Amino acid sequence: MSDFDFDLFVIGGGSGGVRAARVAASEHGVKVGLAEEDRYGGTCVIRGCVPKKLMVFASGYSGMADEAQAYGWDIKPGTFDWHSFRKRLHGELDRLEAVYRKLLSGSGVETFDARAKIKDAHTVELSNGEVKTAKHILVATGGRPVRPDLPNADLGIVSDDIFHLEKLPKSILIIGGGYIACEFACILQGLGVEVTQYYRGAQILRGFDDEARGLVAESMRESGIDIHCGTNIVEMALEVDRGNADALSNSDAAMGATVNQAGELNRHNAAAREGSQGPIWVKSTNGNEKVFDTVLFATGRTPMTDDMGLEDVGVSLGRGNEIEVNEYSQTGVPSIYAIGDVTNRVNLTPVAIREGMAFVETVFAGNPTAVDHDLIPSAVFTQPEMGTVGLTEEQARDAGPVEIYATSFRPMQTAFAEQNQRVMMKLIVCEDTRVVLGCHIVAPNAGELIQMVGIAVKARLTKEQFDVTCAVHPTMSEELVTMRTPTRTA
């Protein structure tokens, strides 16, 4: 009989933690407990990938009427009903959470709707007062969005809040230039919101291929998104606060009104903290001042390691508060492991799931399995989408010599409708080995395309193997196997 309550205790009910828990229980007969303080499904299912992609789908219909008319359909543009969509959205999230709970219970995992802290190498304490022991502990608490260190930053919202808005704002300022900022800029613009975006860097989507992100930025601007690079927010306040402050400072009768106005300011501030929409006055680094209904901070995420007792038991945290682990997801405390965004390795749901599977294989199947973080395909769900796998052109130059095969064109569907949207297909090829080192696609459904190309790049196929593959015509993606002459070398 075991000296512990559980063989494995998982902290976190997101995709990685749930997969590890149920596979360990159902396939290896492990007694598993799992604690989740919020909703089951984690960031991806509840406040990330899934609701965001459903919003991408919703926003994509905005231009359909115009395009359909070019093809002979008598379709008139309509209006978007946020309340109707949001009701269906939350119904779907409820359904998915129920699926996750059912998967766990069906696998024999005992669940606890509570926050868990680590007391020692084999003990967790739950917020409901229970204490549980386990031979192994797996931390899979994920990450959360952060606000900048700025006065009145609490007036803005973060990505988690988007799905709970009572109504869509008429105007929004998005702070940030990463994939989350750009995706929501495209989504909200497609839903009819006037979108302005500030990013302190020289170009949005830093870290992605320069040519690809340049085309995405161009397309976003053409759609009506007002992007300001080299720009950041320096000051923000409720517009009513500024108006009342001016009245208090400029009016001879200010003294008599102070108490009533101060009470009104407090009520407005409380409403803002409860998620009420602006108007919010913003001053930027370029000197511009403007009022927006809502400000969205998409300025980064941080691992959820606060107040978990990790360092007290000897688990090391990195400079970004991430849990430091080895190639087998093991911390410096042998019985404690960590997977997913809380380790800040590659913050993608499929990666967290693979890390969870590798953990189970290592610990419960006796087969030490390191997670392969090389050549992971990914997509940015802007409009158009961007799909990427392998090296960017800029990274490849350092590994050179390389050949670049690239083409940009108007695809048949949009060209016929006399629309300006362009797509891009790009291959990075090692000049010596002929291996395709990277692929970058900017196009509708680029996420679907890059999944298939990711297989070829992961298999280290050569450019000549791409070349002997017969094209599917007429498609956008046929360009990937018909480009014969390098655009440039590096």
Side-chain angles (χ1 to χ4, degrees):
M1 186 173 179
S2 174
D3 293 331
F4 302 103
D5 298 323
F6 296 97
D7 301 308
L8 169 64
F9 198 96
V10 180
I11 304 176
S15 298
V18 167
R19 177 64 65 88
R22 68 184 188 87
V23 171
S26 63
E27 297 185 12
H28 297 277
V30 173
K31 187 177 182 182
V32 182
L34 183 147
E36 169 56 57
E37 65 174 325
D38 198 349
R39 299 187 66 181
Y40 287 72
T43 296
C44 180
V45 173
I46 303 300
R47 62 193 73 88
C49 320
V50 171
K52 176 193 70 181
K53 190 65 181 292
L54 292 172
M55 289 185 73
V56 169
F57 292 145
S59 65
Y61 288 102
S62 60
M64 182 173 291
D66 289 340
E67 187 173 300
Q69 288 172 1
Y71 281 87
W73 287 92
D74 184 17
I75 297 177
K76 306 300 182 186
T79 57
F80 175 70
D81 186 338
W82 169 251
H83 294 285
S84 175
F85 170 77
R86 196 185 75 152
K87 182 179 179 180
R88 289 184 64 89
L89 174 67
H90 284 281
E92 177 64 5
L93 301 186
D94 291 344
R95 183 188 72 82
L96 291 173
E97 182 181 14
V99 169
Y100 268 64
R101 287 180 176 272
K102 186 175 181 180
L103 286 170
L104 288 168
S105 63
S107 300
V109 176
E110 185 176 353
T111 57
F112 302 88
D113 294 348
R115 176 175 172 79
K117 294 179 63 173
I118 296 178
K119 299 299 292 182
D120 62 41
H122 297 283
T123 307
V124 296
E125 181 180 9
L126 305 181
S127 55
N128 62 13
E130 295 184 73
V131 175
K132 301 296 179 182
T133 60
K135 185 175 182 180
H136 302 282
I137 297 172
L138 177 65
V139 182
T141 48
R144 59 175 174 79
V146 296
R147 285 179 169 82
D149 184 12
L150 178 76
N152 290 326
D154 60 323
L155 299 178
I157 64 174
V158 293
S159 58
D160 288 0
D161 304 318
I162 287 284
F163 315 109
H164 301 285
L165 292 175
E166 289 296 326
K167 63 180 180 178
L168 284 181
K170 292 182 179 179
S171 65
I172 191 168
L173 171 64
I174 298 178
I175 309 297
Y179 73 92
I180 294 175
C182 294
E183 287 174 340
F184 278 115
C186 291
I187 288 169
L188 293 169
Q189 190 279 329
L191 298 180
V193 180
E194 179 186 314
V195 179
T196 302
Q197 185 174 355
Y198 289 173
Y199 177 52
R200 63 185 181 183
Q203 181 60 286
I204 60 171
L205 296 171
R206 181 173 63 89
F208 291 90
D209 183 86
D210 279 356
E211 190 174 9
R213 64 189 182 131
L215 181 55
V216 172
E218 178 185 324
S219 299
M220 289 173 64
R221 287 191 170 100
E222 286 182 354
S223 74
I225 298 170
D226 188 17
I227 300 176
H228 296 260
C229 290
T231 305
N232 205 350
I233 187 172
V234 294
E235 192 176 352
M236 65 186 295
L238 282 175
E239 176 67 4
V240 67
D241 288 10
R242 296 184 67 252
N244 286 339
D246 290 343
L248 287 171
S249 62
N250 296 328
S251 174
D252 293 336
M255 292 300 292
T258 299
V259 173
N260 288 338
Q261 291 188 2
E264 188 66 22
L265 291 183
N266 287 336
R267 282 191 290 274
H268 278 291
N269 283 328
R273 293 187 188 97
E274 292 169 4
S276 299
Q277 302 303 298
I280 300 172
W281 169 84
V282 172
K283 183 176 182 180
S284 66
T285 51
N286 61 17
N288 288 341
E289 299 182 28
K290 192 172 180 180
V291 174
F292 301 91
D293 286 340
T294 302
V295 174
L296 167 64
F297 291 112
T299 49
R301 296 177 63 84
T302 188
M304 293 181 66
T305 55
D306 297 340
D307 193 30
M308 287 190 64
L310 291 163
E311 290 182 295
D312 293 339
V313 301
V315 174
S316 297
L317 301 183
R319 295 178 61 182
N321 293 323
E322 74 279 8
I323 296 177
E324 295 183 337
V325 295
N326 63 17
E327 67 269 34
Y328 302 108
S329 297
Q330 187 178 38
T331 72
V333 179
S335 59
I336 301 176
Y337 291 73
I339 60 169
D341 291 5
V342 77
T343 66
N344 199 28
R345 289 177 285 182
V346 179
N347 296 341
L348 296 170
T349 298
V351 176
I353 291 172
R354 282 179 169 265
E355 289 171 355
M357 296 290 286
F359 158 78
V360 172
E361 189 71 13
T362 297
V363 175
F364 298 110
N367 178 29
T369 303
V371 180
D372 183 1
H373 290 110
D374 189 34
L375 297 175
I376 297 171
S378 63
V380 179
F381 295 105
T382 45
Q383 296 174 10
E385 296 176 7
M386 177 167 63
T388 180
V389 62
L391 297 182
T392 66
E393 180 176 345
E394 294 68 44
Q395 293 168 335
R397 287 173 187 160
D398 297 332
V402 293
E403 293 177 347
I404 310 300
Y405 296 79
T407 181
S408 180
F409 56 94
R410 284 200 302 166
M412 178 187 294
Q413 184 173 355
T414 53
F416 181 84
E418 298 183 346
Q419 297 178 339
N420 294 324
Q421 293 96 324
R422 301 183 66 82
V423 304
M424 188 200 82
M425 307 281 167
K426 184 173 186 177
L427 297 176
I428 315 295
V429 179
C430 176
E431 201 172 71
D432 296 331
T433 66
R434 309 301 301 153
V435 169
V436 178
L437 302 175
C439 177
H440 309 280
I441 301 173
V442 177
N445 297 312
E448 304 290 346
L449 298 176
I450 204 66
Q451 178 68 85
M452 298 299 101
V453 183
I455 298 171
V457 174
K458 185 68 173 177
R460 301 191 63 80
L461 299 188
T462 65
K463 178 62 169 65
E464 283 65 36
Q465 288 171 305
F466 272 63
D467 293 343
V468 298
T469 302
C470 190
V472 178
H473 180 76
T475 65
M476 295 180 293
S477 57
E478 66 182 296
E479 297 289 336
L480 294 170
V481 298
T482 58
M483 292 185 288
R484 293 291 189 268
T485 305
T487 308
R488 54 191 171 273
T489 58

